[in-house]
Amino acid sequence: MGDEVTGSALKHWDHPAYSARLQAGRAALAQLLAEERLDRGRPMTGLELELDLVEPDGDPAFANDAVLEHLHTSGEEDALYGAQHELGAFNIELNLPPRLLDGAGLSWYESDLAAVLAEVREAAGKAGVQICPIGTMPTLATDHMGVDALSTARRYRILNEEIMSQRGEDLRIDIRGAESVDFTSSSIAPESANTSVQFHLQVAPEDFARYWNAAQAFAGVQVATAANSPYLFGRQLWAETRVILFEQGTDTRRANQRAAGAKPRAWFGERWIGGVLDLFDENYRHFSPLLPLCDEEDPAAVVSGGGVPSLQELRYHNGTVYRWNRPVYDVFRGRPHVRVENRVVAAGPTAVDICANMALFYGLAVHFADAEVPLSERMDFAQAAANFRSAARHGINADQWWPGLGLVPVRRLVVDELLPKAAEGLSALGVSGRDADRYLGVIESRCRRGVNGATWQVARVQVAEHRQRLERRDALRAMVLDYAARSADGRPVHEWEV
């Protein structure tokens, strides 16, 4: 999705031909798998981070063109840390280079992330705005939601046109939580309220199913501990409102398809898998293409000739199916591989918080993927999905069903059961004990104090409303500005004062 859609691709946009090329890409990937030609090296990791831009008064700043210009980039691959447009004109995306985690890898991630955030913060300042790594933009209003809220990057305008065309009617955002929102939009602009961080883990192809299944099984735990999205359109909704907003904001289904049980494009999944091809096959079966052809490659010819195919059509299509744990085929330094892209966690609040979330994900993924009896044999898939939904609603105060324990508070589950297992997983990756203790200690402190980004935001707004007597819109502005300043300060969110 980071690649720009070219004029040539638009000119040659042909849906039947595209579908045929998707099948050709799937066949080429199957051949690579059968011939064991995918990379099985040490597990590389990667990180993508989306950010919001805010005005000096706390409202969203539709200024990503200006900020990217100050970063001396227009979204090209040689940009500073891959800085580029995201869906909304008030969003930008950063991509840190892939690396191993062994030794002080997590600390290096934190220092690099802090450094690039400082550079982006400086560029934003030159444009007269601030940055805010947060899950949903609290001061975004429904009157911001015209097509002009979308980035000027052409691919996002095309994506908007294709989603709305397939849907055949306005989007409806209908969310009931602590408060409620019911809003219709003639564009996909509401989806731009969401910003997240994505963790990538390259795995051997034969291990992919075990890693993906494990990540699905503990996704609810990730959401609960890292929730950071309680507000949307001025209303307090779910602790991690991103989950339901993503589902509704990218929904291409027509009314009759929804009634018939067709899958939404933002999708947890329906079953445990046996291999990576299961997920690409589901993509083809359930979801029609949204973006045009981008390559003239003949993948069968490339593979037969011993080459490495780019499989651009497969990758573009996969990029418009918004799984919370997404399969990725990619080529790095000439070597093809598959990886799990974990999309569960909201952006922010700070570099150390992001790296703590990263440590929990990688530690649990490795531990449970290597377990003698996998979680997928001890837990129904429907239970994993229910855990995920409950965590999105209730955040750090959610209960989770866990094998051998039944229904337990997530805070107790994490502290008593999962943190030691995450530490074992990090050790297996070669992460230093010092790094493991530091970052998993952040997760432990959140759980013991019952504080994460979502709870802090709600408490800060309540202070503004009840002590400072501010109306909700002004209370949200005050909270966002306070949040942005504390995020720049760098202390983990569980230490923030209200």
Side-chain angles (χ1 to χ4, degrees), residues 301-381:
V302 173
V303 173
S304 297
V308 176
S310 65
L311 304 186
Q312 287 284 53
E313 291 83 10
L314 177 145
R315 292 160 67 186
Y316 260 89
H317 185 47
N318 189 52
T320 61
V321 179
Y322 305 104
R323 297 178 184 273
W324 296 104
N325 285 293
R326 177 189 278 164
V328 175
Y329 166 85
D330 205 352
V331 181
F332 181 64
R333 294 178 179 170
R335 301 177 69 177
H337 67 266
V338 290
R339 61 181 187 260
V340 177
E341 179 188 13
N342 179 255
R343 304 163 48 81
V344 164
V345 176
T350 65
V352 67
D353 284 304
I354 291 168
C355 291
N357 296 334
M358 175 188 284
L360 184 67
F361 169 67
Y362 289 130
L364 291 181
V366 170
H367 174 84
F368 285 117
D370 290 343
E372 185 175 348
V373 181
L375 285 173
S376 56
E377 295 182 12
R378 304 171 59 202
M379 177 190 296
D380 289 339
F381 191 89

Side-chain angles (χ1 to χ4, degrees), residues 167 169-174 176 182-185 248-249:
R167 182 178 173 84
E169 61 182 357
D170 286 354
L171 285 170
R172 183 181 180 191
I173 307 301
D174 182 11
R176 309 303 166 95
D182 192 348
F183 167 68
T184 58
S185 174
Q248 296 181 3

Side-chain angles (χ1 to χ4, degrees), residues 330-486:
D330 205 352
V331 181
F332 181 64
R333 294 178 179 170
R335 301 177 69 177
H337 67 266
V338 290
R339 61 181 187 260
V340 177
E341 179 188 13
N342 179 255
R343 304 163 48 81
V344 164
V345 176
T350 65
V352 67
D353 284 304
I354 291 168
C355 291
N357 296 334
M358 175 188 284
L360 184 67
F361 169 67
Y362 289 130
L364 291 181
V366 170
H367 174 84
F368 285 117
D370 290 343
E372 185 175 348
V373 181
L375 285 173
S376 56
E377 295 182 12
R378 304 171 59 202
M379 177 190 296
D380 289 339
F381 191 89
Q383 191 60 67
N387 281 348
F388 183 73
R389 204 75 167 184
S390 174
R393 283 184 175 273
H394 305 295
I396 206 163
N397 294 312
D399 292 333
Q400 297 279 280
W401 188 91
W402 200 255
L405 298 175
L407 197 64
V408 293
V410 71
R411 292 163 63 183
R412 179 157 63 87
L413 172 64
V414 171
V415 171
D416 294 347
E417 297 287 332
L418 298 185
L419 287 180
K421 292 176 171 57
E424 292 175 9
L426 291 176
S427 178
L429 279 173
V431 174
S432 73
R434 180 177 180 180
D435 264 15
D437 290 346
R438 177 165 187 249
Y439 295 107
L440 294 180
V442 170
I443 304 296
E444 179 178 2
S445 294
R446 284 187 209 158
C447 291
R448 293 195 182 280
R449 299 185 187 190
V451 175
N452 59 12
T455 63
W456 184 88
Q457 288 187 54
V458 171
R460 180 65 180 83
V461 168
Q462 289 174 345
V463 165
E465 287 181 323
H466 300 301
R467 293 186 192 172
Q468 299 172 299
R469 306 294 183 183
L470 297 180
E471 296 295 330
R472 172 61 65 85
R473 186 78 178 263
D474 290 331
L476 289 170
R477 289 185 176 116
M479 182 272 286
V480 165
L481 293 175
D482 196 3
Y483 180 108
R486 292 177 186 275

Side-chain angles (χ1 to χ4, degrees), residues 33 41 58 103 124 131-132 140 166 198 210 216 266 269-270 400 468 481:
L33 289 165
I131 67 169
C132 188
L140 197 69
Q166 288 193 18
Q198 291 102 48
R210 292 189 293 112
Q216 291 287 98
E270 62 186 356
Q400 297 279 280
Q468 299 172 299
L481 293 175

